[in-house]
Amino acid sequence: MSFDESIKRIIDIAKECGIVEEEYAQVQLELIVHKATELQVHMDNMYWSERCNLLSYGQVCSDKEVNKNYRRLKYALGAVFIPLIILSAQLNLDPAECFKLAIDDLEKCDIEG
């Protein structure tokens, strides 16, 4: 599924759930902060599981645990995208256009926008 198709699917699901109303925008913003915090936790877990293995004389974290941490990290990163896309729909903004504007600034090395 392409990114554009994913965006459309997320918005369709949000409409089915009845959460694309602008009145829920603050809730989505709070969810973004919550999901970003979870992402930080998973990044820390990933960092320390790899770091502990490198610094120890044995394997502190099994490959299975490291892989589980990677999966959680990837999920958490993806989970940040969803409320961002829903928030853009709630504010009647095209998420692809928002993404393009950010990419344009990135190309200028202007990450502050």
Side-chain angles (χ1 to χ4, degrees), residues 61-113:
C61 297
S62 68
D63 288 340
K64 183 178 180 180
E65 188 174 358
V66 170
N67 288 338
K68 184 192 275 186
N69 285 336
Y70 267 118
R71 186 184 182 293
R72 287 178 179 157
L73 178 61
K74 288 190 277 187
Y75 172 83
L77 186 58
V80 172
F81 290 132
I82 291 173
L84 286 169
I85 291 167
I86 293 171
L87 178 61
S88 68
Q90 289 168 328
L91 299 175
N92 203 25
L93 300 171
D94 177 9
E97 182 182 352
C98 297
F99 195 59
K100 184 189 178 317
L101 288 171
I103 290 170
D104 291 347
D105 281 348
L106 179 62
E107 287 175 338
K108 294 183 261 181
C109 295
D110 179 14
I111 58 171
E112 296 297 319

